[in-house]
Coordinates of all heavy atoms in Angstrom, one line a residue:
M1 N 97.4 42.7 138.7 CA 98.0 42.9 137.4 C 97.3 42.0 136.4 O 96.9 40.9 136.7 CB 99.5 42.4 137.5 CG 100.3 42.5 136.2 SD 100.3 44.2 135.4 CE 101.6 44.9 136.4
Y2 N 97.0 42.5 135.2 CA 96.3 41.8 134.2 C 97.2 41.3 133.1 O 96.9 41.4 131.9 CB 95.2 42.7 133.6 CG 94.1 43.0 134.6 CD1 94.0 44.2 135.2 CD2 93.2 42.0 134.8 CE1 92.9 44.4 136.1 CE2 92.1 42.2 135.7 CZ 92.0 43.5 136.3 OH 91.0 43.7 137.1
D3 N 98.4 40.8 133.4 CA 99.3 40.1 132.5 C 99.9 41.0 131.4 O 100.4 40.5 130.4 CB 98.6 38.9 131.8 CG 97.5 39.2 130.9 OD1 97.4 40.3 130.3 OD2 96.6 38.3 130.7
R4 N 99.8 42.3 131.6 CA 100.5 43.3 130.7 C 100.1 43.2 129.3 O 100.7 43.8 128.4 CB 102.0 43.1 130.8 CG 102.5 43.3 132.3 CD 104.0 43.2 132.4 NE 104.7 44.1 131.5 CZ 105.2 45.2 131.9 NH1 105.0 45.7 133.1 NH2 105.9 46.0 131.0
R5 N 99.0 42.6 128.9 CA 98.4 42.6 127.6 C 97.5 43.8 127.5 O 96.9 44.3 128.5 CB 97.6 41.4 127.2 CG 98.5 40.1 127.2 CD 97.7 38.9 126.8 NE 96.6 38.7 127.7 CZ 95.7 37.8 127.6 NH1 95.6 37.0 126.5 NH2 94.8 37.6 128.5
P6 N 97.3 44.4 126.3 CA 96.4 45.6 126.1 C 95.0 45.3 126.7 O 94.5 44.1 126.5 CB 96.4 45.8 124.6 CG 97.5 45.1 124.1 CD 97.8 44.0 125.0
A7 N 94.4 46.3 127.3 CA 93.0 46.1 127.7 C 92.0 46.6 126.6 O 90.9 46.1 126.6 CB 92.7 47.0 129.0
A8 N 92.5 47.5 125.8 CA 91.6 48.0 124.7 C 92.4 48.4 123.5 O 93.6 48.8 123.7 CB 90.7 49.1 125.2
I9 N 91.8 48.3 122.4 CA 92.5 48.8 121.1 C 91.4 49.6 120.4 O 90.3 49.2 120.3 CB 92.9 47.6 120.2 CG1 94.0 46.8 121.0 CG2 93.5 48.1 118.9 CD1 94.4 45.5 120.3
T10 N 91.8 50.7 119.8 CA 90.9 51.5 119.1 C 91.5 52.1 117.8 O 92.7 52.2 117.8 CB 90.3 52.7 120.0 OG1 89.3 53.4 119.2 CG2 91.4 53.7 120.3
A11 N 90.7 52.3 116.8 CA 91.2 52.9 115.6 C 90.0 53.6 114.8 O 88.9 53.2 115.1 CB 91.7 51.8 114.6
S12 N 90.3 54.5 114.0 CA 89.3 55.1 113.1 C 89.5 54.5 111.7 O 90.6 54.6 111.1 CB 89.5 56.6 113.0 OG 88.7 57.3 114.0
L13 N 88.4 53.9 111.2 CA 88.5 53.2 109.9 C 87.7 53.9 108.9 O 86.6 54.4 109.1 CB 87.9 51.8 110.1 CG 88.4 50.8 111.2 CD1 87.6 49.6 111.2 CD2 89.9 50.6 110.9
Y14 N 88.2 53.9 107.7 CA 87.4 54.3 106.5 C 86.7 53.0 106.0 O 87.2 51.9 106.1 CB 88.3 54.7 105.3 CG 89.0 56.1 105.6 CD1 90.3 56.2 105.9 CD2 88.2 57.2 105.4 CE1 90.9 57.5 106.1 CE2 88.7 58.5 105.6 CZ 90.1 58.6 106.0 OH 90.6 59.8 106.1
G15 N 85.5 53.1 105.5 CA 84.8 52.0 105.0 C 84.5 50.9 105.9 O 84.5 49.7 105.6
Y16 N 84.2 51.2 107.2 CA 83.8 50.2 108.2 C 82.7 49.3 107.7 O 82.8 48.1 107.9 CB 83.4 50.9 109.5 CG 82.8 49.9 110.5 CD1 83.7 49.1 111.2 CD2 81.4 49.9 110.7 CE1 83.1 48.2 112.1 CE2 80.9 49.0 111.7 CZ 81.8 48.1 112.3 OH 81.3 47.3 113.3
E17 N 81.7 49.8 107.0 CA 80.6 49.0 106.5 C 81.1 47.9 105.6 O 80.4 46.8 105.4 CB 79.5 49.9 105.8 CG 80.0 50.6 104.5 CD 80.8 51.9 104.8 OE1 81.0 52.3 105.9 OE2 81.3 52.4 103.8
H18 N 82.2 48.1 104.9 CA 82.8 47.0 104.0 C 83.5 45.9 104.8 O 83.8 44.9 104.3 CB 83.8 47.7 103.0 CG 83.1 48.6 102.1 ND1 82.1 48.3 101.2 CD2 83.3 50.0 102.0 CE1 81.8 49.4 100.6 NE2 82.4 50.5 101.0
H19 N 83.8 46.2 106.0 CA 84.6 45.3 106.9 C 83.8 44.7 108.0 O 84.3 43.8 108.7 CB 85.9 46.0 107.4 CG 86.8 46.5 106.3 ND1 87.5 45.8 105.6 CD2 86.9 47.8 106.0 CE1 88.2 46.6 104.7 NE2 87.8 47.8 104.9
V20 N 82.6 45.1 108.2 CA 81.8 44.7 109.4 C 81.6 43.2 109.5 O 81.8 42.6 110.5 CB 80.5 45.4 109.5 CG1 79.5 45.0 108.5 CG2 79.9 45.3 110.9
R21 N 81.4 42.5 108.4 CA 81.2 41.1 108.4 C 82.5 40.3 108.8 O 82.5 39.4 109.6 CB 80.7 40.5 107.1 CG 79.2 40.9 106.8 CD 78.7 40.4 105.5 NE 79.0 39.0 105.3 CZ 78.8 38.3 104.3 NH1 78.2 38.9 103.2 NH2 79.0 37.0 104.2
K22 N 83.6 40.8 108.3 CA 84.9 40.2 108.6 C 85.2 40.4 110.0 O 85.7 39.5 110.7 CB 86.0 40.8 107.6 CG 87.3 40.0 107.8 CD 88.2 40.6 106.7 CE 89.0 39.5 106.0 NZ 89.9 39.9 105.0
I23 N 85.0 41.6 110.5 CA 85.3 41.9 111.9 C 84.5 41.0 112.9 O 84.9 40.4 113.8 CB 85.1 43.4 112.2 CG1 86.1 44.2 111.5 CG2 85.1 43.7 113.7 CD1 85.9 45.7 111.5
H24 N 83.1 41.0 112.6 CA 82.3 40.1 113.4 C 82.6 38.6 113.3 O 82.5 37.9 114.3 CB 80.8 40.5 113.1 CG 80.3 41.7 113.7 ND1 79.8 41.8 115.0 CD2 80.4 43.0 113.2 CE1 79.5 43.1 115.2 NE2 79.9 43.8 114.2
G25 N 83.0 38.2 112.1 CA 83.4 36.8 111.9 C 84.6 36.5 112.8 O 84.7 35.4 113.4
W26 N 85.6 37.4 112.8 CA 86.8 37.2 113.6 C 86.5 37.2 115.1 O 87.1 36.4 115.8 CB 87.7 38.4 113.3 CG 89.1 38.3 114.0 CD1 90.2 37.6 113.7 CD2 89.3 39.0 115.2 NE1 91.1 37.8 114.7 CE2 90.7 38.7 115.6 CE3 88.7 39.9 116.0 CZ2 91.3 39.2 116.7 CZ3 89.3 40.4 117.2 CH2 90.6 40.1 117.5
L27 N 85.5 38.0 115.5 CA 85.1 38.0 116.9 C 84.3 36.8 117.4 O 84.2 36.5 118.5 CB 84.3 39.2 117.2 CG 85.2 40.5 117.3 CD1 84.3 41.8 117.4 CD2 86.1 40.5 118.5
A28 N 83.7 36.1 116.4 CA 82.8 35.0 116.7 C 83.3 33.9 117.6 O 82.6 33.4 118.5 CB 82.2 34.4 115.4
D29 N 84.6 33.7 117.5 CA 85.2 32.6 118.3 C 86.1 33.2 119.4 O 87.1 32.6 119.9 CB 86.0 31.6 117.5 CG 87.2 32.2 116.8 OD1 87.3 33.4 116.7 OD2 88.0 31.4 116.3
K30 N 85.9 34.5 119.8 CA 86.7 35.1 120.8 C 85.7 35.7 121.9 O 85.6 36.9 122.0 CB 87.5 36.3 120.2 CG 88.6 35.7 119.2 CD 89.2 36.7 118.4 CE 90.2 36.2 117.5 NZ 89.7 35.2 116.5
P31 N 85.2 34.9 122.7 CA 84.4 35.3 123.8 C 85.2 36.2 124.8 O 86.4 35.9 124.9 CB 83.8 34.1 124.5 CG 84.8 33.0 124.1 CD 85.4 33.4 122.8
G32 N 84.6 37.2 125.3 CA 85.3 38.0 126.3 C 85.9 39.2 125.6 O 86.5 40.1 126.3
I33 N 85.7 39.4 124.3 CA 86.2 40.6 123.6 C 84.9 41.4 123.2 O 84.0 40.9 122.5 CB 87.0 40.3 122.3 CG1 88.2 39.4 122.6 CG2 87.4 41.6 121.6 CD1 89.3 40.2 123.5
G34 N 84.9 42.7 123.7 CA 83.7 43.5 123.4 C 84.0 44.3 122.1 O 85.2 44.6 121.8
L35 N 83.0 44.8 121.5 CA 83.1 45.7 120.3 C 82.1 46.7 120.4 O 80.9 46.5 120.7 CB 82.8 44.8 119.0 CG 82.6 45.6 117.8 CD1 83.9 46.3 117.3 CD2 82.0 44.7 116.7
T36 N 82.5 48.0 120.1 CA 81.5 49.1 120.0 C 82.1 50.0 118.9 O 83.3 50.0 118.5 CB 81.3 49.8 121.3 OG1 80.2 50.7 121.2 CG2 82.5 50.6 121.7
T37 N 81.2 50.9 118.3 CA 81.6 51.8 117.3 C 81.1 53.2 117.6 O 80.1 53.3 118.5 CB 81.2 51.4 115.9 OG1 79.7 51.4 115.9 CG2 81.7 50.1 115.5
G38 N 81.6 54.2 117.0 CA 81.2 55.6 117.2 C 81.8 56.4 116.1 O 82.5 55.9 115.2
P39 N 81.5 57.7 116.2 CA 82.1 58.6 115.2 C 83.6 58.6 115.2 O 84.1 58.7 116.3 CB 81.5 60.0 115.6 CG 80.4 59.7 116.5 CD 80.7 58.4 117.1
G40 N 84.2 58.5 114.1 CA 85.7 58.5 114.0 C 86.2 59.9 114.3 O 85.6 60.9 114.0
W41 N 87.4 60.0 114.9 CA 88.0 61.3 115.2 C 89.1 61.6 114.2 O 89.5 62.8 114.1 CB 88.6 61.3 116.6 CG 89.9 60.4 116.7 CD1 91.1 60.8 116.5 CD2 89.9 59.0 117.0 NE1 92.0 59.7 116.6 CE2 91.3 58.6 116.9 CE3 89.0 58.0 117.3 CZ2 91.8 57.3 117.1 CZ3 89.5 56.7 117.5 CH2 90.8 56.4 117.4
Y42 N 89.6 60.7 113.4 CA 90.7 61.0 112.5 C 90.3 61.9 111.4 O 91.0 62.8 111.1 CB 91.2 59.7 112.0 CG 92.4 59.9 111.0 CD1 93.6 60.3 111.5 CD2 92.3 59.6 109.7 CE1 94.7 60.5 110.6 CE2 93.3 59.8 108.8 CZ 94.5 60.3 109.3 OH 95.5 60.5 108.4
H43 N 89.2 61.6 110.7 CA 88.9 62.4 109.5 C 87.3 62.2 109.3 O 86.8 61.1 109.6 CB 89.7 61.9 108.3 CG 89.6 62.8 107.1 ND1 88.5 62.8 106.3 CD2 90.4 63.7 106.6 CE1 88.6 63.7 105.4 NE2 89.8 64.2 105.5
G44 N 86.7 63.1 108.7 CA 85.3 62.9 108.4 C 85.1 61.7 107.5 O 85.9 61.4 106.7
G45 N 84.0 60.9 107.9 CA 83.8 59.7 107.2 C 84.4 58.5 107.8 O 84.2 57.4 107.3
T46 N 85.1 58.6 108.9 CA 85.6 57.4 109.5 C 84.7 57.0 110.6 O 83.9 57.8 111.2 CB 87.1 57.7 110.1 OG1 87.0 58.7 111.1 CG2 88.1 58.1 109.0
V47 N 84.9 55.7 111.0 CA 84.1 55.2 112.1 C 85.1 54.7 113.1 O 86.1 54.0 112.8 CB 83.2 54.0 111.6 CG1 82.6 53.3 112.8 CG2 82.1 54.5 110.7
Q48 N 85.0 55.1 114.4 CA 85.8 54.6 115.4 C 85.4 53.2 115.8 O 84.2 53.0 116.1 CB 85.8 55.5 116.7 CG 86.7 55.0 117.8 CD 86.7 55.9 119.0 OE1 85.9 56.8 119.1 NE2 87.5 55.5 120.0
I49 N 86.3 52.3 115.9 CA 86.0 50.9 116.4 C 86.8 50.7 117.7 O 88.0 51.1 117.7 CB 86.3 49.9 115.4 CG1 86.0 48.5 115.9 CG2 87.7 49.9 114.9 CD1 86.1 47.4 114.9
V50 N 86.2 50.2 118.7 CA 86.9 49.9 120.0 C 86.7 48.4 120.3 O 85.5 47.9 120.3 CB 86.3 50.7 121.1 CG1 87.1 50.4 122.4 CG2 86.3 52.2 120.8
L51 N 87.8 47.7 120.5 CA 87.8 46.3 120.9 C 88.4 46.3 122.4 O 89.4 47.0 122.5 CB 88.6 45.4 120.0 CG 88.2 45.3 118.6 CD1 89.3 44.6 117.7 CD2 86.9 44.6 118.4
W52 N 87.8 45.6 123.3 CA 88.3 45.6 124.6 C 88.1 44.2 125.3 O 87.3 43.4 124.9 CB 87.6 46.6 125.5 CG 86.2 46.3 125.9 CD1 85.9 45.8 127.1 CD2 85.0 46.6 125.2 NE1 84.5 45.6 127.1 CE2 83.9 46.2 126.0 CE3 84.8 47.2 124.0 CZ2 82.6 46.3 125.6 CZ3 83.4 47.4 123.6 CH2 82.4 46.9 124.4
R53 N 88.9 44.0 126.3 CA 88.9 42.8 127.1 C 87.8 43.0 128.2 O 88.0 43.8 129.1 CB 90.2 42.5 127.7 CG 91.2 42.1 126.7 CD 92.6 41.8 127.3 NE 92.5 40.9 128.5 CZ 93.5 40.8 129.4 NH1 94.7 41.5 129.2 NH2 93.4 40.0 130.4
C54 N 86.7 42.2 128.2 CA 85.7 42.3 129.1 C 86.1 41.9 130.6 O 85.7 42.5 131.5 CB 84.5 41.5 128.7 SG 83.7 42.0 127.2
D55 N 87.1 41.0 130.6 CA 87.6 40.6 132.0 C 88.4 41.7 132.7 O 88.5 41.7 133.9 CB 88.5 39.4 131.9 CG 89.8 39.6 131.1 OD1 89.8 40.4 130.1 OD2 90.8 39.0 131.5
V56 N 88.8 42.8 131.9 CA 89.6 43.9 132.5 C 88.6 45.1 132.7 O 88.6 45.8 133.7 CB 90.8 44.3 131.7 CG1 91.5 45.5 132.2 CG2 91.7 43.1 131.6
L57 N 87.9 45.4 131.6 CA 87.1 46.7 131.6 C 85.6 46.5 131.8 O 84.9 47.5 131.8 CB 87.3 47.4 130.2 CG 88.8 47.8 129.9 CD1 88.9 48.5 128.6 CD2 89.3 48.7 131.1
G58 N 85.1 45.2 131.9 CA 83.7 45.0 132.1 C 83.0 44.9 130.8 O 83.6 44.9 129.7
E59 N 81.7 44.8 130.8 CA 80.9 44.5 129.6 C 80.5 45.8 128.8 O 80.2 45.7 127.7 CB 79.6 43.8 130.1 CG 79.8 42.4 130.7 CD 80.4 41.4 129.6 OE1 80.0 41.5 128.5 OE2 81.2 40.6 130.1
K60 N 80.5 46.9 129.5 CA 80.0 48.2 128.8 C 81.1 49.2 128.7 O 81.6 49.8 129.6 CB 78.8 48.8 129.6 CG 77.6 47.9 129.7 CD 76.9 47.9 128.4 CE 75.6 47.1 128.5 NZ 75.0 46.9 127.3
V61 N 81.5 49.4 127.4 CA 82.5 50.4 127.1 C 81.9 51.1 125.9 O 81.3 50.5 125.0 CB 83.9 49.8 126.7 CG1 84.8 50.8 126.1 CG2 84.5 49.1 127.9
T62 N 82.0 52.4 125.8 CA 81.5 53.2 124.7 C 82.7 53.8 123.9 O 83.8 53.8 124.4 CB 80.6 54.4 125.2 OG1 81.4 55.4 125.8 CG2 79.5 53.9 126.1
A63 N 82.4 54.2 122.7 CA 83.4 54.8 121.9 C 84.0 56.0 122.5 O 85.2 56.3 122.4 CB 82.9 55.1 120.5
A64 N 83.2 56.8 123.3 CA 83.6 58.0 124.0 C 84.6 57.6 125.0 O 85.6 58.5 125.3 CB 82.4 58.7 124.6
D65 N 84.6 56.4 125.6 CA 85.5 56.0 126.6 C 87.0 55.9 126.1 O 87.9 56.0 126.8 CB 85.1 54.7 127.2 CG 83.9 54.7 128.0 OD1 83.6 55.7 128.6 OD2 83.2 53.7 128.1
A66 N 87.1 55.7 124.8 CA 88.4 55.6 124.1 C 88.7 56.7 123.1 O 89.6 56.6 122.4 CB 88.4 54.2 123.4
G67 N 87.9 57.7 123.2 CA 88.0 58.8 122.2 C 89.2 59.7 122.6 O 89.9 59.5 123.6
P68 N 89.4 60.8 121.8 CA 90.5 61.7 122.1 C 90.6 62.3 123.5 O 91.6 62.4 124.1 CB 90.3 62.9 121.1 CG 89.4 62.3 120.1 CD 88.6 61.2 120.7
E69 N 89.4 62.6 124.1 CA 89.4 63.1 125.5 C 90.0 62.1 126.5 O 90.6 62.5 127.5 CB 88.0 63.5 125.9 CG 87.4 64.6 125.1 CD 86.8 64.2 123.8 OE1 86.6 63.0 123.6 OE2 86.8 65.0 122.9
A70 N 89.8 60.8 126.2 CA 90.3 59.8 127.1 C 91.8 59.7 127.0 O 92.5 59.1 127.9 CB 89.7 58.4 126.8
L71 N 92.4 60.2 126.0 CA 93.8 60.1 125.7 C 94.6 61.4 126.2 O 95.8 61.5 125.9 CB 94.1 59.8 124.3 CG 93.4 58.5 123.7 CD1 93.7 58.4 122.2 CD2 93.9 57.4 124.5
D72 N 94.0 62.3 126.9 CA 94.6 63.5 127.3 C 95.8 63.3 128.2 O 96.7 64.2 128.3 CB 93.6 64.4 128.1 CG 92.6 65.1 127.1 OD1 92.8 65.1 125.9 OD2 91.6 65.6 127.6
W73 N 95.9 62.2 128.9 CA 97.0 61.9 129.8 C 98.3 61.6 129.0 O 99.4 61.7 129.6 CB 96.7 60.8 130.7 CG 96.4 59.5 129.9 CD1 95.1 59.2 129.5 CD2 97.3 58.5 129.5 NE1 95.2 58.0 128.8 CE2 96.5 57.5 128.8 CE3 98.6 58.3 129.6 CZ2 97.1 56.4 128.3 CZ3 99.2 57.1 129.1 CH2 98.4 56.2 128.4
L74 N 98.3 61.4 127.7 CA 99.5 61.1 126.9 C 100.4 62.2 126.8 O 100.0 63.4 126.7 CB 99.1 60.6 125.5 CG 98.5 59.2 125.5 CD1 98.1 58.8 124.1 CD2 99.5 58.1 126.1

């Protein structure tokens, strides 16, 4: 059991390029949190961002791992 905290969080953001410095600044003192981006699924022009716990999911996660196809079980 991994303490019942989320293993990953994902969202589709508008204007990711305007927030990238703030996001990376927030992550700077959070070792063990991975970050990746990919094409957003919500609407054209969005960027998908995925944050995950490396202690649970490992070092390599892609945006496709958290995309709509990964949520088919819901």
Side-chain angles (χ1 to χ4, degrees):
M1 180 59 78
Y2 288 106
D3 66 24
R4 301 179 57 95
R5 294 183 301 171
I9 298 172
T10 187
S12 265
L13 305 175
Y14 288 106
Y16 172 74
E17 64 279 358
H18 299 294
H19 302 287
V20 72
R21 286 181 51 186
K22 189 176 225 179
I23 291 168
H24 283 271
W26 180 80
L27 285 172
D29 65 348
K30 293 167 182 62
I33 301 294
L35 167 71
T36 193
T37 62
W41 72 89
Y42 178 68
H43 191 284
T46 62
V47 173
Q48 180 183 5
I49 181 173
V50 182
L51 299 170
W52 76 92
R53 291 178 50 194
C54 296
D55 64 324
V56 176
L57 299 177
E59 296 293 326
K60 297 288 183 186
V61 172
T62 69
D65 294 328
E69 296 79 20
L71 304 177
D72 285 343
W73 57 273
L74 289 176

